[in-house]
Coordinates of all heavy atoms in Angstrom, one line a residue:
M1 N 91.7 83.1 128.2 CA 92.6 84.2 127.9 C 92.7 85.1 129.1 O 91.6 85.6 129.6 CB 92.2 84.9 126.7 CG 93.1 85.9 126.2 SD 92.7 86.8 124.7 CE 92.4 85.6 123.5
S2 N 93.9 85.4 129.6 CA 94.0 86.2 130.7 C 93.8 87.7 130.4 O 94.0 88.1 129.2 CB 95.4 86.0 131.3 OG 96.4 86.6 130.5
P3 N 93.5 88.5 131.4 CA 93.3 89.9 131.1 C 94.6 90.6 130.6 O 94.5 91.5 129.8 CB 92.9 90.5 132.5 CG 92.3 89.4 133.3 CD 93.1 88.1 132.7
K4 N 95.7 90.1 131.1 CA 97.0 90.7 130.7 C 97.2 90.4 129.2 O 97.7 91.3 128.5 CB 98.2 90.1 131.5 CG 99.5 90.8 131.3 CD 100.6 90.2 132.1 CE 100.4 90.4 133.6 NZ 101.5 89.9 134.4
L5 N 96.9 89.2 128.7 CA 97.0 88.9 127.3 C 96.1 89.7 126.5 O 96.4 90.2 125.4 CB 96.8 87.4 127.1 CG 97.0 86.9 125.7 CD1 98.4 87.2 125.1 CD2 96.7 85.4 125.6
K6 N 94.8 89.9 127.0 CA 93.8 90.7 126.2 C 94.4 92.1 126.0 O 94.3 92.7 124.9 CB 92.5 90.7 127.0 CG 91.7 89.4 126.8 CD 90.4 89.5 127.6 CE 89.7 88.2 127.6 NZ 88.5 88.2 128.4
W7 N 94.9 92.7 127.1 CA 95.4 94.1 127.0 C 96.6 94.1 126.1 O 96.8 95.1 125.4 CB 95.7 94.6 128.4 CG 94.5 95.2 129.1 CD1 93.9 94.6 130.2 CD2 93.8 96.3 128.8 NE1 92.8 95.4 130.5 CE2 92.7 96.4 129.7 CE3 94.0 97.3 127.8 CZ2 91.8 97.5 129.6 CZ3 93.0 98.4 127.7 CH2 92.0 98.4 128.6
G8 N 97.4 93.1 126.2 CA 98.6 93.0 125.3 C 98.2 93.0 123.8 O 98.8 93.7 123.0
L9 N 97.2 92.2 123.5 CA 96.7 92.2 122.1 C 96.0 93.4 121.7 O 96.2 93.9 120.5 CB 95.7 91.0 122.0 CG 96.4 89.6 122.1 CD1 95.3 88.5 122.1 CD2 97.5 89.4 121.1
I10 N 95.3 94.1 122.6 CA 94.6 95.4 122.3 C 95.7 96.4 122.0 O 95.6 97.2 121.0 CB 93.7 95.8 123.4 CG1 92.5 94.9 123.4 CG2 93.3 97.3 123.2 CD1 91.6 95.1 124.6
V11 N 96.7 96.5 122.8 CA 97.8 97.5 122.6 C 98.5 97.2 121.3 O 98.9 98.1 120.5 CB 98.8 97.4 123.8 CG1 100.1 98.2 123.5 CG2 98.1 98.0 125.0
G12 N 98.7 95.9 121.0 CA 99.4 95.5 119.7 C 98.6 95.9 118.5 O 99.1 96.4 117.5
A13 N 97.2 95.8 118.6 CA 96.4 96.2 117.5 C 96.5 97.7 117.3 O 96.5 98.2 116.2 CB 95.0 95.8 117.8
L14 N 96.5 98.4 118.4 CA 96.6 99.9 118.3 C 97.9 100.3 117.8 O 98.0 101.3 117.0 CB 96.3 100.5 119.7 CG 94.9 100.4 120.3 CD1 94.9 101.0 121.7 CD2 93.9 101.2 119.4
L15 N 99.0 99.6 118.2 CA 100.3 100.0 117.6 C 100.4 99.6 116.1 O 101.0 100.4 115.4 CB 101.4 99.2 118.4 CG 101.7 99.6 119.8 CD1 102.7 98.6 120.5 CD2 102.2 101.0 119.8
L16 N 99.7 98.6 115.7 CA 99.7 98.2 114.3 C 99.0 99.3 113.5 O 99.4 99.7 112.4 CB 99.1 96.8 114.1 CG 99.1 96.2 112.7 CD1 100.5 96.0 112.3 CD2 98.3 94.9 112.7
V17 N 97.8 99.7 114.0 CA 97.1 100.7 113.3 C 97.9 102.0 113.3 O 97.9 102.7 112.2 CB 95.7 101.0 114.0 CG1 95.0 102.2 113.5 CG2 94.8 99.7 113.8
G18 N 98.5 102.4 114.4 CA 99.3 103.6 114.4 C 100.5 103.5 113.4 O 100.8 104.5 112.7
G19 N 101.2 102.4 113.4 CA 102.3 102.2 112.5 C 101.9 102.3 111.0 O 102.5 102.9 110.2
A20 N 100.7 101.6 110.7 CA 100.2 101.7 109.3 C 99.8 103.1 109.0 O 100.1 103.6 107.8 CB 99.0 100.8 109.2
S21 N 99.2 103.9 109.9 CA 98.9 105.3 109.7 C 100.1 106.1 109.4 O 100.1 107.0 108.6 CB 98.1 105.8 110.8 OG 96.9 105.1 111.0
L22 N 101.2 105.8 110.2 CA 102.4 106.6 110.0 C 103.0 106.4 108.6 O 103.4 107.3 107.9 CB 103.4 106.1 111.1 CG 104.8 106.8 111.1 CD1 104.7 108.2 111.5 CD2 105.7 106.0 111.9
V23 N 103.1 105.1 108.2 CA 103.6 104.8 106.9 C 102.7 105.4 105.8 O 103.2 106.0 104.8 CB 103.8 103.3 106.7 CG1 104.2 102.9 105.3 CG2 104.9 102.8 107.7
L24 N 101.4 105.2 105.9 CA 100.5 105.8 104.9 C 100.6 107.3 104.9 O 100.6 107.9 103.8 CB 99.1 105.4 105.3 CG 98.0 105.8 104.3 CD1 98.2 105.1 102.9 CD2 96.6 105.4 104.8
G25 N 100.7 108.0 106.0 CA 100.9 109.4 106.0 C 102.2 109.9 105.3 O 102.2 110.8 104.6
F26 N 103.3 109.2 105.6 CA 104.5 109.5 104.9 C 104.3 109.3 103.4 O 104.8 110.1 102.6 CB 105.7 108.6 105.4 CG 106.3 109.1 106.6 CD1 106.5 108.3 107.7 CD2 106.7 110.5 106.7 CE1 107.1 108.7 108.8 CE2 107.3 110.9 107.9 CZ 107.5 110.1 109.0
W27 N 103.7 108.2 103.0 CA 103.5 107.9 101.6 C 102.6 109.0 100.9 O 102.9 109.5 99.8 CB 102.9 106.5 101.4 CG 102.6 106.2 100.0 CD1 103.6 105.9 99.0 CD2 101.4 106.1 99.3 NE1 103.0 105.6 97.8 CE2 101.6 105.7 98.0 CE3 100.1 106.3 99.7 CZ2 100.6 105.6 97.1 CZ3 99.0 106.1 98.8 CH2 99.3 105.8 97.5
L28 N 101.6 109.4 101.6 CA 100.7 110.4 101.0 C 101.3 111.8 100.9 O 101.0 112.6 100.0 CB 99.4 110.5 101.8 CG 98.4 109.3 101.7 CD1 97.3 109.5 102.7 CD2 97.9 109.2 100.3
S29 N 102.3 112.1 101.8 CA 102.9 113.4 101.7 C 104.1 113.4 100.7 O 104.7 114.4 100.5 CB 103.5 113.7 103.1 OG 104.5 112.9 103.5
G30 N 104.4 112.2 100.1 CA 105.4 112.2 99.1 C 106.8 111.8 99.6 O 107.7 111.9 98.9
F31 N 106.8 111.5 100.9 CA 108.1 111.1 101.5 C 108.5 109.7 101.0 O 107.6 108.8 100.7 CB 107.9 111.1 103.0 CG 109.2 110.9 103.8 CD1 110.2 111.9 103.8 CD2 109.5 109.7 104.4 CE1 111.3 111.8 104.5 CE2 110.7 109.6 105.1 CZ 111.6 110.6 105.2
D32 N 109.8 109.4 100.9 CA 110.3 108.1 100.5 C 110.1 107.1 101.7 O 110.8 107.1 102.6 CB 111.8 108.2 100.2 CG 112.3 106.9 99.7 OD1 111.6 106.0 99.3 OD2 113.6 106.8 99.8
V33 N 109.0 106.3 101.5 CA 108.6 105.4 102.6 C 109.7 104.3 102.8 O 110.1 104.0 103.9 CB 107.3 104.7 102.3 CG1 106.9 103.7 103.3 CG2 106.2 105.8 102.3
L34 N 110.3 103.8 101.7 CA 111.3 102.7 101.9 C 112.5 103.3 102.5 O 113.3 102.6 103.2 CB 111.6 102.1 100.5 CG 110.4 101.3 99.9 CD1 110.8 100.8 98.5 CD2 110.0 100.2 100.8
G35 N 112.8 104.6 102.2 CA 114.0 105.2 102.8 C 113.8 105.4 104.3 O 114.8 105.4 105.1
W36 N 112.6 105.6 104.8 CA 112.3 105.8 106.2 C 112.7 104.6 107.0 O 113.2 104.7 108.1 CB 110.8 106.1 106.4 CG 110.5 106.4 107.8 CD1 110.7 107.5 108.5 CD2 110.0 105.4 108.8 NE1 110.3 107.4 109.8 CE2 109.9 106.1 110.0 CE3 109.7 104.1 108.7 CZ2 109.5 105.5 111.2 CZ3 109.2 103.5 109.9 CH2 109.1 104.1 111.1
F37 N 112.6 103.4 106.5 CA 112.8 102.2 107.2 C 114.3 102.0 107.6 O 114.6 101.2 108.4 CB 112.4 101.0 106.4 CG 110.9 100.8 106.4 CD1 110.2 101.2 105.3 CD2 110.2 100.4 107.5 CE1 108.8 101.1 105.2 CE2 108.8 100.3 107.5 CZ 108.1 100.6 106.4
S38 N 115.2 102.8 107.1 CA 116.6 102.8 107.5 C 117.1 104.0 108.3 O 118.2 104.2 108.5 CB 117.5 102.6 106.2 OG 117.3 103.7 105.4
T39 N 116.1 104.8 108.7 CA 116.5 106.0 109.5 C 116.6 105.7 111.0 O 116.3 104.6 111.4 CB 115.4 107.1 109.3 OG1 114.2 106.6 109.9 CG2 115.2 107.5 107.9
K40 N 117.1 106.6 111.7 CA 117.3 106.5 113.2 C 116.0 106.2 113.8 O 115.9 105.4 114.7 CB 118.0 107.7 113.7 CG 118.1 107.7 115.2 CD 118.8 109.0 115.8 CE 117.7 110.1 115.8 NZ 118.1 111.3 116.5
W41 N 115.0 107.0 113.4 CA 113.6 106.8 114.1 C 113.0 105.5 113.8 O 112.3 104.9 114.7 CB 112.7 108.0 113.6 CG 113.2 109.3 114.0 CD1 113.8 110.2 113.2 CD2 113.3 109.8 115.3 NE1 114.2 111.3 114.0 CE2 113.9 111.1 115.3 CE3 112.9 109.3 116.6 CZ2 114.1 111.9 116.4 CZ3 113.1 110.1 117.7 CH2 113.7 111.4 117.6
A42 N 113.3 104.9 112.7 CA 112.7 103.6 112.4 C 113.4 102.6 113.3 O 112.7 101.6 113.8 CB 113.0 103.2 110.9
F43 N 114.7 102.7 113.6 CA 115.4 101.7 114.4 C 114.9 101.9 115.9 O 114.8 100.9 116.6 CB 116.9 101.9 114.3 CG 117.4 101.3 113.1 CD1 117.7 102.1 112.0 CD2 117.5 99.9 113.0 CE1 118.2 101.5 110.8 CE2 118.0 99.3 111.8 CZ 118.3 100.1 110.7
I44 N 114.5 103.1 116.3 CA 113.9 103.2 117.6 C 112.5 102.5 117.6 O 112.2 101.8 118.6 CB 113.7 104.7 117.9 CG1 115.1 105.4 118.1 CG2 112.9 104.9 119.2 CD1 115.1 106.9 118.3
V45 N 111.8 102.6 116.6 CA 110.5 101.9 116.5 C 110.7 100.4 116.5 O 110.0 99.7 117.2 CB 109.7 102.3 115.2 CG1 108.5 101.4 115.0 CG2 109.3 103.8 115.3
Y46 N 111.7 99.9 115.8 CA 112.0 98.5 115.8 C 112.4 98.0 117.2 O 112.0 96.9 117.6 CB 113.2 98.2 114.9 CG 113.0 98.6 113.5 CD1 114.1 98.9 112.7 CD2 111.8 98.6 112.9 CE1 114.0 99.2 111.3 CE2 111.6 99.0 111.6 CZ 112.7 99.2 110.8 OH 112.6 99.6 109.5
F47 N 113.1 98.8 118.0 CA 113.5 98.5 119.3 C 112.3 98.3 120.2 O 112.2 97.3 120.9 CB 114.5 99.5 119.9 CG 114.8 99.3 121.3 CD1 115.7 98.3 121.7 CD2 114.2 100.1 122.3 CE1 116.0 98.1 123.1 CE2 114.5 99.9 123.7 CZ 115.4 98.9 124.0
F48 N 111.4 99.3 120.2 CA 110.2 99.2 121.1 C 109.2 98.1 120.6 O 108.6 97.5 121.4 CB 109.5 100.6 121.2 CG 110.3 101.5 122.1 CD1 111.0 102.6 121.6 CD2 110.4 101.3 123.4 CE1 111.7 103.4 122.4 CE2 111.1 102.1 124.3 CZ 111.7 103.2 123.8
A49 N 109.1 97.9 119.3 CA 108.3 96.8 118.8 C 108.9 95.5 119.2 O 108.1 94.6 119.6 CB 108.2 96.9 117.3
G50 N 110.2 95.3 119.3 CA 110.8 94.1 119.7 C 110.6 93.9 121.2 O 110.3 92.8 121.7
L51 N 110.7 95.0 122.0 CA 110.3 94.9 123.4 C 108.9 94.4 123.7 O 108.6 93.6 124.5 CB 110.6 96.2 124.2 CG 112.0 96.6 124.4 CD1 112.1 97.9 125.1 CD2 112.7 95.5 125.3
Y52 N 108.0 95.0 122.9 CA 106.6 94.6 123.0 C 106.4 93.1 122.6 O 105.7 92.4 123.3 CB 105.7 95.5 122.0 CG 104.3 94.9 121.9 CD1 103.4 95.1 122.9 CD2 104.0 94.3 120.7 CE1 102.1 94.5 122.7 CE2 102.7 93.7 120.6 CZ 101.8 93.9 121.6 OH 100.6 93.3 121.5
L53 N 107.0 92.7 121.6 CA 106.9 91.3 121.2 C 107.5 90.3 122.2 O 106.9 89.3 122.5 CB 107.5 91.0 119.8 CG 106.8 91.7 118.6 CD1 107.6 91.5 117.4 CD2 105.4 91.1 118.5
I54 N 108.6 90.7 122.9 CA 109.1 89.9 124.0 C 108.2 89.9 125.1 O 107.9 88.8 125.7 CB 110.5 90.5 124.4 CG1 111.5 90.2 123.3 CG2 111.0 89.9 125.7 CD1 112.9 90.9 123.5
F55 N 107.6 91.0 125.5 CA 106.6 91.0 126.6 C 105.4 90.2 126.2 O 104.9 89.4 127.1 CB 106.1 92.5 126.8 CG 104.9 92.6 127.7 CD1 105.1 92.3 129.1 CD2 103.7 92.8 127.2 CE1 104.0 92.4 129.9 CE2 102.6 92.9 128.0 CZ 102.7 92.7 129.4
L56 N 104.9 90.3 125.0 CA 103.7 89.5 124.6 C 104.0 88.0 124.6 O 103.2 87.2 125.1 CB 103.2 89.9 123.3 CG 101.8 89.4 122.9 CD1 100.8 89.9 123.8 CD2 101.5 89.9 121.5
G57 N 105.2 87.6 124.2 CA 105.6 86.2 124.2 C 105.8 85.7 125.6 O 105.4 84.6 125.9
W58 N 106.3 86.6 126.5 CA 106.4 86.2 127.9 C 105.1 85.9 128.5 O 104.9 85.0 129.3 CB 107.2 87.3 128.7 CG 107.2 87.1 130.2 CD1 108.0 86.2 130.8 CD2 106.5 87.7 131.1 NE1 107.8 86.2 132.2 CE2 106.8 87.2 132.4 CE3 105.5 88.7 131.1 CZ2 106.3 87.6 133.6 CZ3 104.9 89.2 132.3 CH2 105.3 88.6 133.5
V59 N 104.1 86.8 128.2 CA 102.7 86.6 128.8 C 102.1 85.3 128.2 O 101.5 84.6 129.0 CB 101.8 87.8 128.4 CG1 100.4 87.6 128.7 CG2 102.3 89.1 129.2
I60 N 102.3 85.1 126.9 CA 101.7 83.8 126.4 C 102.3 82.6 127.0 O 101.6 81.7 127.3 CB 101.8 83.9 124.8 CG1 100.9 84.9 124.2 CG2 101.5 82.5 124.2 CD1 101.2 85.2 122.8
V61 N 103.6 82.6 127.1 CA 104.3 81.4 127.7 C 103.9 81.2 129.1 O 103.6 80.1 129.6 CB 105.9 81.6 127.6 CG1 106.6 80.6 128.5 CG2 106.3 81.4 126.1
R62 N 103.8 82.3 129.9 CA 103.4 82.2 131.3 C 102.0 81.7 131.4 O 101.7 80.9 132.3 CB 103.6 83.6 132.0 CG 103.3 83.5 133.4 CD 103.7 84.8 134.1 NE 103.3 84.6 135.5 CZ 102.9 85.6 136.3 NH1 102.9 86.8 135.8 NH2 102.6 85.4 137.6
D63 N 101.1 82.3 130.6 CA 99.7 81.9 130.8 C 99.4 80.5 130.3 O 98.6 79.8 130.9 CB 98.8 82.8 130.0 CG 98.6 84.2 130.7 OD1 99.1 84.3 131.9 OD2 98.1 85.1 130.1
Y64 N 100.0 80.0 129.3 CA 99.7 78.7 128.7 C 100.6 77.6 129.1 O 100.2 76.5 129.3 CB 99.6 78.8 127.2 CG 98.4 79.7 126.8 CD1 98.6 80.9 126.2 CD2 97.1 79.3 127.0 CE1 97.5 81.7 125.9 CE2 96.0 80.1 126.7 CZ 96.2 81.3 126.1 OH 95.2 82.1 125.8
A65 N 101.9 77.8 129.1 CA 102.9 76.8 129.4 C 103.0 76.6 130.9 O 103.1 75.4 131.4 CB 104.2 77.1 128.8
I66 N 103.1 77.6 131.7 CA 103.3 77.5 133.1 C 102.0 77.5 133.8 O 101.9 77.0 134.9 CB 104.2 78.7 133.6 CG1 105.5 78.7 132.9 CG2 104.4 78.7 135.1 CD1 106.4 79.8 133.2
G67 N 100.9 78.0 133.2 CA 99.6 78.0 133.9 C 99.2 79.3 134.5 O 98.2 79.4 135.2
G68 N 100.0 80.4 134.3 CA 99.6 81.7 134.8 C 99.8 81.9 136.3 O 99.2 82.8 136.9
K69 N 100.6 81.1 136.9 CA 100.7 81.2 138.4 C 101.7 82.3 138.7 O 102.6 82.6 138.0 CB 101.2 79.9 139.0 CG 100.2 78.8 138.8 CD 100.6 77.5 139.4 CE 99.6 76.5 139.3 NZ 100.0 75.2 139.7

């Protein structure tokens, strides 16, 4: 496993914990969690999560299919 892939997975784990904490915090404060998923801020989060997944997929393909050169 390349160092770039390790860092990508670590960042992904931190983003997952942060996202779960965000949703849990909204739920505990009484905010409509399901309603949040259709807000402008949720779509911004979706955009950056998509960019992260594209980056992680690129790293995995480069390291394993191409050989990391």
Side-chain angles (χ1 to χ4, degrees):
M1 185 180 305
S2 73
K4 192 182 292 186
L5 181 59
K6 285 181 187 176
W7 278 108
L9 293 175
I10 289 170
V11 168
L14 291 175
L15 289 173
L16 186 64
V17 169
S21 299
L22 179 72
V23 170
L24 183 64
F26 278 131
W27 179 71
L28 289 175
S29 69
F31 189 73
D32 180 23
V33 175
L34 293 178
W36 180 83
F37 287 105
S38 62
T39 63
K40 174 182 78 168
W41 296 107
F43 284 100
I44 292 171
V45 170
Y46 301 153
F47 174 75
F48 284 110
L51 284 179
Y52 167 75
L53 290 174
I54 290 170
F55 169 74
L56 193 61
W58 174 74
V59 169
I60 290 171
V61 167
R62 183 170 180 212
D63 284 350
Y64 292 111
I66 300 173
K69 294 181 182 176

